[in-house]
Amino acid sequence: MRHKFLAILVLVLAAVLFSPLENRIQAERVWRKYGGARVSLPLREKLGQGTAVALLAGLRGVVADFLWIQNADYFVKDEWVPMYRNIELVTTLQPQSTTFWEQGAWHMGWNIGYSVSKDPKNENTAQGIRREREWHQKARDFLLRGIDNIPQQYDLYFALGWLYWTKLAKDCGENTDCQRAAYSKAAEYFGAAGEFPEAPTYIGREYARALEKCGRDRDAYEYWKTLWKADHKMTNQLWTEVERNIKRLEDALAIPEDKRVPRNKDDGSLQVPL
Amino acid sequence: MTESQVNLTTAATAIKPGRVGFSLHRVWIIGLNTFTESMRQKVFNILLIFALVAISSASFFTEFTFSEQLKFMKDFCLGAVSVFGTLIAIVGTAQLLPNELENRTIYTILAKPVRRLEFILGKYIGMALLLFISVLMMSLMLGAVLKIKEARMVMVAQQGVDQASTPDAREAAEGDLAQIRADTADLDIIKGIILIFIKLSLLAAITLLISTISTSMIFNVAVAFMVFFAGHLRSAATEAWAHHKIWLALLAILPDLGAFNVADDINLGNLIPWQHVGLVAADGLGRIVIILIATHLIFAKREI
């Protein structure tokens, strides 16, 4: 019996000894945003019995994947309500996954939005349009939450810029001020995405196009020039596209000859900076 | 005479009469025999099921994006390593002592100049070896399937690059191609596997401790699984009971098994520094040593 007490004492002492180390590990996990939402009662109720057990067994990724795969089924059957619920649940379980935020917003902004606009239960076309716009707003709010969770990657900034560019600007209808504001937002998020060194070059070109769309032609021209000044050994950049836009904007903005990007005398192409 | 008994007799002949000293050689022999016995119970058949999981996860879900497919595959395979490893660790360890008692082989072993500490350490090392080989083989299988999957995905992505209608679309498709190569070549997954192995070794130590108290294998398995689930809930419970000092003190006895689950984060592309892996590994290994000391303290005076 004495030895059993001694064994328990050893375990308790170990717990005391290891507490500072485990507290440090836990603090680091919170700081680095490892894992996801805590296993709480409301979360367990949303998950159901089987998936909750898997979650308790540490299979968070597998549970999230299963729910996501289930979404494909809802998508085919046009069951948008459970699909939306699943998207929310999956991003709660794994808020660090760009794929879930990006694809979830795409479902909301494109698939669900279009589907509700064509819903035969709509009383009239206007109701369909209104419902579609509501889903676009939901997609926007969803992506903003995604950016809050993953501010260190360019993907969600670009996705939000693309949503403003393709959906929210169109939702403005004939209202030019609203359109301009939407394109301005698109430019803001394309610009933020383009700041990341690993961002593909087309994001920078989208940024310049969005600047022009929201009426900031001069800024767009300056940005195209900035792109032109970059290292021309960079094979990914579409130099012909950059050149074409610089020339077009120089004409449109009536830039004086001496202020324009220098040309090669033989063919009139832009001189490559040294 | 069994192989185990023959080996121990050979090892014991080198011992001088009088007090028996601690011998790592005898620990190793008991460990090797524990490992061999587990192999004879066809524990490695579980690897066939793992292979099925790996191949299935690589073959299905082709309607999803490249990044989704790779995420699913890695999640399912690492989940399977964790699940099958847990089963081996708990069920395999839970039967070690009850089997020895039931078959009465423990009497012949302990009648020789073998210390109880050597016996218990040998049993644990045998189980840890079994877990190591199992995890290693499953990881190698995962690596092989991942490479096959990469080749298939690169082929499809290359078609996307060739068929791109605009320069922007081409660049996006090239980005996909680069992403596939980067995701499949991500060696950070090793960190996740190391921590899974340490977690399984910790579970084996806990199960061995439980089996020194009880003689029923079912009891050992049931309690070990309870500790397993409670260990995963520990950080949530610590947060919920932050103001209850007594509960917190009791919780501290449990290891935080959730801290070992970094594989999910690695799959999401989160940076897991070696320093963090080192801290968690130190915690796990330290806990194992303490649990083995407690196991020895109980087993040393246990009536057999």
Side-chain angles (χ1 to χ4, degrees):
Chain A
M1 204 62 187
R2 197 166 58 90
H3 277 75
K4 279 185 185 165
F5 278 121
L6 205 56
I8 293 169
L9 193 68
V10 166
L11 291 174
V12 171
L13 276 176
V16 175
L17 275 175
F18 283 103
S19 272
L21 176 63
E22 285 173 357
N23 289 343
R24 192 178 153 191
I25 292 169
Q26 185 54 27
E28 205 167 301
R29 282 180 70 81
V30 172
W31 177 63
R32 290 184 184 275
K33 295 183 178 174
Y34 292 160
R38 292 257 172 272
V39 187
S40 59
L41 202 58
L43 182 64
R44 202 213 66 77
E45 279 167 2
K46 281 184 201 169
L47 284 170
Q49 204 73 22
T51 37
V53 171
L55 192 64
L56 289 180
L59 303 172
R60 184 179 287 268
V62 176
V63 171
D65 293 347
F66 265 116
L67 292 170
W68 198 251
I69 290 163
Q70 203 178 29
N71 261 359
D73 200 34
Y74 291 139
F75 174 58
V76 174
K77 292 177 186 164
D78 282 4
E79 292 178 3
W80 306 117
V81 176
M83 184 172 177
Y84 173 64
R85 215 166 36 214
N86 258 8
I87 292 170
E88 287 286 353
L89 196 52
V90 165
T91 47
T92 306
L93 285 173
Q94 289 207 305
Q96 295 297 303
S97 164
T98 43
T99 304
F100 291 152
W101 289 107
E102 208 177 352
Q103 296 284 317
W106 173 69
H107 279 308
M108 289 181 203
W110 277 259
N111 299 326
I112 305 181
Y114 178 79
S115 181
V116 294
S117 75
K118 303 291 173 200
D119 189 347
K121 288 177 199 156
N122 290 335
E123 285 171 16
N124 47 42
T125 317
Q127 194 191 8
I129 293 171
R130 197 176 60 243
R131 286 181 67 196
E132 184 179 14
R133 286 178 182 176
E134 281 169 8
W135 278 103
H136 293 162
Q137 302 287 335
K138 274 192 181 176
R140 182 201 58 192
D141 297 343
F142 184 75
L143 279 172
L144 283 170
R145 277 195 285 139
I147 289 171
D148 280 344
N149 279 287
I150 319 171
Q152 73 278 17
Q153 288 178 30
Y154 74 85
D155 308 65
L156 298 182
Y157 294 99
F158 178 72
L160 187 51
W162 192 246
L163 182 76
Y164 270 108
W165 176 271
T166 52
K167 294 291 175 188
L168 293 164
K170 280 183 188 146
D171 287 348
C172 294
E174 301 296 312
N175 186 340
T176 48
D177 285 343
C178 169
Q179 276 182 7
R180 199 165 279 198
Y183 285 123
S184 177
K185 277 285 184 188
E188 181 187 331
Y189 287 107
F190 286 147
E195 297 273 309
F196 289 84
E198 70 276 16
T201 57
Y202 63 81
I203 292 180
R205 299 194 293 271
E206 286 301 335
Y207 172 58
R209 286 173 196 136
L211 284 175
E212 209 177 326
K213 274 277 194 183
C214 64
R216 293 165 58 190
D217 294 15
R218 186 82 207 188
D219 290 337
Y221 171 63
E222 292 300 329
Y223 191 74
W224 283 114
K225 279 205 308 186
T226 310
L227 291 180
W228 184 255
K229 282 177 194 159
D231 184 2
H232 277 240
K233 284 175 192 151
M234 192 164 69
T235 50
N236 274 348
Q237 186 57 277
L238 285 177
W239 298 112
T240 49
E241 179 72 359
V242 178
E243 183 171 1
R244 190 181 64 78
N245 277 291
I246 290 172
K247 285 179 174 173
R248 182 179 58 79
L249 280 170
E250 281 178 342
D251 290 341
L253 294 167
I255 306 284
E257 286 297 326
D258 58 325
K259 303 277 184 199
R260 293 187 176 200
V261 178
R263 265 63 169 178
N264 290 315
K265 283 178 186 155
D266 46 353
D267 59 357
S269 61
L270 298 187
Q271 277 181 14
V272 174
L274 295 171
Chain B
M1 202 180 245
T2 65
E3 192 182 332
S4 157
Q5 288 163 353
V6 171
N7 285 336
L8 282 170
T9 310
T10 320
T13 49
I15 299 166
K16 286 176 188 169
R19 196 169 185 279
V20 181
F22 180 81
S23 159
L24 276 177
H25 179 58
R26 286 195 295 275
V27 171
W28 181 242
I29 287 172
I30 295 170
L32 275 184
N33 279 296
T34 307
F35 175 71
T36 314
E37 277 167 35
S38 308
M39 291 238 301
R40 282 184 190 140
Q41 288 172 11
K42 302 200 182 346
V43 171
F44 286 129
N45 280 359
I46 223 162
L47 296 178
L48 289 175
I49 309 172
F50 177 80
L52 274 179
V53 172
I55 293 163
S56 310
S57 61
S59 309
F60 298 150
F61 318 123
T62 45
E63 71 272 27
F64 289 92
T65 61
F66 295 129
S67 61
E68 283 172 315
Q69 286 183 53
L70 281 175
K71 181 185 181 307
F72 294 164
M73 201 190 140
K74 287 191 202 169
D75 278 341
F76 289 152
C77 289
L78 289 171
V81 173
S82 190
V83 168
F84 295 140
T86 303
L87 286 176
I88 297 173
I90 292 180
V91 181
T93 316
Q95 59 165 0
L96 286 180
L97 288 184
N99 269 4
E100 291 281 354
L101 287 168
E102 201 180 307
N103 300 334
R104 297 175 182 279
T105 42
I106 195 167
Y107 301 110
T108 44
I109 294 172
L110 292 182
K112 298 183 190 311
V114 174
R115 288 182 153 210
R116 287 195 179 197
L117 175 62
E118 292 165 354
F119 177 77
I120 213 78
L121 272 183
K123 286 284 164 194
Y124 179 72
I125 283 171
M127 190 40 69
L129 190 62
L130 178 73
L131 287 170
F132 178 75
I133 304 277
S134 306
V135 170
L136 182 71
M137 287 176 78
M138 287 193 266
S139 307
L140 290 175
M141 253 189 254
L142 165 61
V145 177
L146 207 54
K147 278 287 151 199
I148 296 167
K149 182 75 179 170
E150 181 196 5
R152 271 195 234 158
M153 287 169 86
V154 162
M155 207 167 69
V156 177
Q158 190 59 53
Q159 282 172 0
V161 174
D162 298 341
Q163 292 165 3
S165 52
T166 64
D168 283 1
R170 187 185 169 84
E171 197 187 340
E174 282 171 348
D176 282 344
L177 200 61
Q179 191 62 46
I180 292 167
R181 293 202 169 111
D183 281 352
T184 48
D186 186 9
L187 290 178
D188 263 13
I189 208 167
I190 294 169
K191 295 173 186 171
I193 293 169
I194 290 172
L195 290 188
I196 287 176
F197 169 67
I198 294 175
K199 181 174 92 170
L200 298 177
S201 305
L202 180 57
L203 277 173
I206 292 168
T207 314
L208 194 62
L209 172 68
I210 296 163
S211 66
T212 53
I213 302 161
S214 125
T215 49
S216 155
M217 184 191 151
I218 295 171
F219 177 85
N220 296 343
V221 171
V223 175
F225 269 111
M226 279 182 212
V227 174
F228 171 74
F229 286 120
H232 276 102
L233 271 174
R234 203 194 99 161
S235 57
T238 308
E239 212 169 78
W241 293 333
H243 302 296
H244 300 80
K245 299 276 181 215
I246 297 168
W247 284 116
L248 278 183
L250 282 172
L251 273 177
I253 297 174
L254 269 179
D256 183 3
L257 296 178
F260 294 87
N261 296 334
V262 297
D264 283 349
D265 293 288
I266 291 168
N267 285 346
L268 294 176
N270 283 348
L271 180 75
I272 312 282
W274 276 109
Q275 176 251 355
H276 182 79
V277 177
L279 284 180
V280 180
D283 181 41
L285 295 172
R287 286 259 183 190
I288 289 172
V289 172
I290 297 294
I291 290 168
L292 287 178
I293 291 171
T295 308
H296 168 63
L297 285 172
I298 297 172
F299 187 66
K301 295 289 170 186
R302 179 178 166 167
E303 271 187 37
I304 296 168

